[in-house]
Amino acid sequence: MADETRISIDDTGALLGECHTIYLRRLGLDPRHPEFETDFEERPLSVINQLREYRGLLLSAIRHLQDNGVRVINPPDVLGIHSLKPWQLSRLAAAGVPVPETCSTNDPAEVRAFADRVENVIYKPIGGGGHAHHLESVDLDDDRLSRLANSPVQFQERIDGNDVRVFVVDGEVVAAARIVSDALDYRSERHDVERIGLESLDPEIERAACRAADQLGLPFTGVDVVNAADRFVVLEANPSPMFATFDELAGTNVAGELAGFLADP
Ligand SMILES: Nc1ncnc2c1ncn2[C@@H]1O[C@H](COP(=O)(O)OP(=O)(O)OP(=O)(O)O)[C@@H](O)[C@H]1O
Ligand SMILES: [Mg+2]
């Protein structure tokens, strides 16, 4: 594990003179990643401990650079909000950004009460990385709900509408597109991406996306919106959105806009 990377906080000295900005895509060093699979099977606890040490050093080096005036996009402390969806939603709601009614819980009674109150419900992971599914009546069985003891889940009002992805760079919307798919969660099947010209993007959605980026402290983000006939909601703002395939499919230039921002101190 150790021979592939060498990190030392002193090595950051060389970077200080020559770069004003770092683009931080992800920290990695996650024991669930495939590269650690074999080690993890053999000695899970020590892999977890080793990676914690690596992260500590890497994050210290990044913070050291920040302390010395290097701009890090996105800052390491906001990368983690990807898995804090309940917090994102409460923060956005408090700032007047429309979000779907949501109940993140491990309590069967709360789920039943939510399903009684809200007609159409989906559920998905709190930390992301899974697909959204409809909540069916069989999901409300004692046996099924007892599995919430394993981990909490995010239950959410289903909004029927178009999936729209809005990219924000430095407080401004730079690209938007509609994800064309019939699936509840578009990632469960092949999908097209249809560019929305910025002149025809609903100004309310534009404002909400910028507000979301601002409220969550994200200089660069891809905001997931569902646009229904009579309203829209923000689902989340991704702190490390992928954009290469998006640009390719939609004919947008997120890469260029981001590069321009990174290059300009
Ligand atoms: N409340 C909802 N109503 C309708 N569709 C939804 C709803 N929540 C999620 N979806 C569908 O599932 C997709 C993924 O949901 P979302 O972006 O909220 O979380 P996530 O993508 O699971 O998280 P991550 O991107 O971190 O893996 C959405 O883009 C949308 O297509
Ligand atoms: Mg998403």
Side-chain angles (χ1 to χ4, degrees):
M1 190 185 285
D3 20 308
E4 286 161 30
T5 47
R6 282 176 47 112
I7 324 167
S8 143
I9 205 159
D10 294 332
D11 289 342
T12 60
L15 279 174
L16 282 176
E18 59 192 51
C19 77
H20 55 73
T21 303
I22 290 173
Y23 174 59
L24 184 60
R25 162 92 177 92
R26 66 183 178 110
L27 284 171
L29 301 174
D30 183 331
R32 296 167 310 169
H33 288 169
E35 69 231 65
F36 304 120
E37 193 177 330
T38 316
D39 283 336
F40 191 75
E41 262 168 31
E42 281 167 17
R43 42 187 187 87
L45 195 58
S46 57
V47 169
I48 287 170
N49 283 331
Q50 280 177 279
L51 291 178
R52 194 188 60 162
E53 297 298 298
Y54 267 99
R55 283 177 84 85
L57 180 55
L58 181 60
L59 278 168
S60 295
I62 293 169
R63 279 186 184 236
H64 174 71
L65 288 167
Q66 288 180 299
D67 288 347
N68 285 281
V70 174
R71 192 174 56 147
V72 180
I73 307 296
N74 278 327
D77 49 328
V78 295
L79 285 185
I81 70 166
H82 185 240
S83 53
L84 305 183
K85 293 179 203 291
W87 172 77
Q88 282 202 27
L89 292 171
S90 66
R91 175 88 185 211
L92 295 179
V97 175
V99 296
E101 234 190 293
T102 305
C103 167
S104 299
T105 186
N106 64 350
D107 178 354
E110 267 196 64
V111 179
R112 290 201 172 102
F114 188 74
D116 273 347
R117 193 157 49 79
V118 178
E119 199 180 328
N120 221 330
V121 177
I122 62 102
Y123 62 94
K124 57 186 177 182
I126 286 178
H131 285 175
H133 297 281
H134 293 281
L135 185 75
E136 314 282 355
S137 47
V138 291
D139 293 319
L140 297 171
D141 287 354
D142 285 344
D143 186 39
R144 182 108 170 105
L145 285 181
S146 71
R147 288 158 67 182
L148 283 172
N150 293 328
S151 92
V153 170
Q154 193 180 192
F155 298 86
Q156 196 164 69
E157 159 190 31
R158 176 180 176 174
I159 312 294
D160 275 312
N162 290 319
D163 278 307
V164 173
R165 165 58 72 93
V166 182
F167 282 92
V168 179
V169 173
D170 194 22
E172 280 179 30
V173 170
V174 300
R178 187 166 86 85
I179 318 278
V180 187
S181 163
D182 291 331
L184 168 60
D185 189 322
Y186 64 84
R187 296 165 307 178
S188 47
E189 58 175 46
R190 257 190 56 82
H191 56 270
D192 285 324
V193 181
E194 227 171 55
R195 176 181 180 171
I196 302 173
L198 294 185
E199 66 294 339
S200 47
L201 180 66
D202 178 346
E204 296 272 341
I205 293 182
E206 180 174 359
R207 259 195 300 278
C210 292
R211 194 153 178 85
D214 176 56
Q215 285 295 312
L216 303 176
L218 296 166
F220 173 51
T221 182
V223 182
D224 288 334
V225 174
V226 183
N227 193 14
D230 51 346
R231 63 167 175 153
F232 71 88
V233 293
V234 169
L235 293 179
E236 63 166 339
N238 295 277
S240 184
M242 292 196 266
F243 52 84
T245 307
F246 182 93
D247 274 348
E248 204 175 290
L249 294 175
T252 48
N253 185 25
V254 177
E257 298 286 350
L258 175 62
F261 171 57
L262 298 177
D264 179 7

